[in-house]
Amino acid sequence: MKKNLLLTMIMVAASVLSSLAQTATVNLSSNKQYIRGFGGMNHPEWAGDLTAAQRSTAFGNGDGQLGFSILRIYINDNSSSWSQAVPTALAAQKMGVTIFATPWNPPASMTETVTRNNRSEKRLKYASYDAYAKHLVSFNNYMKGQGVNLYAMSFANEPDYGYDWTWYSADEVYNFTKNYASQLRVNNTKVISAESFS
C-alpha cells in the first residue's frame, strides 16, 4: 500500500509539473548552474522497497518512465538494517543512476537529549563525532561490499530541522565538516556537508 502510494505521489507530481511547463530561453554560452540530473529517494523502512516495476518506472527512459538519474538512499542508524537499501540501489546502479546516501540519526548510543529553542532535541554527543564518522564509513564499506558504489554521502539530513531526527547547530555542522567529514571519503566517495530544511 505504501509503495503504491509513494509511486502514485511521484506520478501525480510529474503530471502536475508537466502541466505547469512554461517556455524558457536557454543560453548555452553562459553557464549559471550545473545540474547533474534529477532523482528521488528510496526509504524502505518508511515506505517499503520499490518493486522491480517501480524501479523501471522511476529510472527507465522509455515511454511512461520518469528517467530519474539520481537515487538517494537512507543510512539506517541500526547497521543490521542496512541490507534494506541494497536491492533498489543495485538495480538503479545497473541502470546508470548516481547514488548518494544520507542518515537521519546516529546510533542511539551516540546521541543525547538537550533543550534548545524551548524543546527537547536529539544531538550527536560531542565525544561521539569520531565514532559516528566511523559508523558512516562502515555503511559505505558495507554498500561497496554489496556492489553499490556511493557517489557521495552526507552525515545529517536537514540538520536545522531536527523535530523528528537529530538536530545540529551551524557550529556543530561546521565542526563535523571541518574535523571529521574527511574520514567519509573512502571508496572515492564525496562528502555532502549538510542540506538545509528550507
Side-chain angles (χ1 to χ4, degrees):
M1 173 89 176
K2 287 182 180 177
K3 286 185 269 192
N4 292 337
L5 177 62
L6 181 60
L7 187 57
T8 300
M9 288 171 33
I10 290 171
M11 291 181 174
V12 167
S15 175
V16 168
L17 289 174
S18 67
S19 71
L20 298 174
Q22 298 177 3
T23 303
T25 302
V26 178
N27 180 352
L28 297 178
S29 66
S30 175
N31 290 335
K32 303 296 183 191
Q33 180 179 9
Y34 178 77
I35 299 174
R36 182 172 299 278
F38 297 92
M41 179 173 187
N42 187 43
H43 195 318
E45 292 84 345
W46 175 61
D49 198 9
L50 295 177
T51 65
Q54 290 169 332
R55 292 172 191 146
S56 292
T57 298
F59 305 112
N61 290 307
D63 289 343
Q65 296 177 323
L66 298 173
F68 287 163
S69 58
I70 299 174
L71 171 65
R72 178 185 187 193
I73 60 174
Y74 172 65
I75 303 174
N76 196 306
D77 47 300
N78 182 346
S79 61
S80 66
S81 296
W82 289 349
S83 62
Q84 294 182 62
V86 173
T88 292
L90 275 175
Q93 182 174 271
K94 287 178 184 171
M95 298 173 82
V97 171
T98 298
I99 301 167
F100 74 95
T102 307
W104 269 234
N105 296 299
S109 64
M110 298 179 194
T111 64
E112 61 188 348
T113 302
V114 296
T115 301
R116 285 195 268 213
N117 304 322
N118 295 318
R119 64 178 189 173
S120 293
E121 295 175 332
K122 189 186 309 184
R123 174 176 77 188
L124 174 61
K125 295 175 187 174
Y126 297 148
S128 295
Y129 277 39
D130 188 62
Y132 182 47
K134 288 176 174 42
H135 168 78
L136 296 175
V137 167
S138 293
F139 175 82
N140 189 332
N141 287 332
Y142 173 82
M143 294 304 286
K144 181 76 171 177
Q146 300 302 307
V148 176
N149 299 309
L150 296 179
Y151 172 77
M153 65 188 311
S154 172
F155 64 87
N157 175 63
E158 299 169 344
D160 52 344
Y161 177 74
Y163 282 90
D164 300 317
W165 51 83
T166 305
W167 189 92
Y168 295 79
S169 70
D171 287 341
E172 290 163 346
V173 169
Y174 177 78
N175 181 22
F176 192 92
T177 302
K178 180 180 178 185
N179 298 306
Y180 299 92
S182 63
Q183 294 180 48
L184 309 184
R185 299 193 66 192
V186 296
N187 304 319
N188 295 315
T189 303
K190 298 181 183 332
V191 176
I192 302 169
S193 174
E195 77 286 3
S196 174
F197 174 66
S198 295

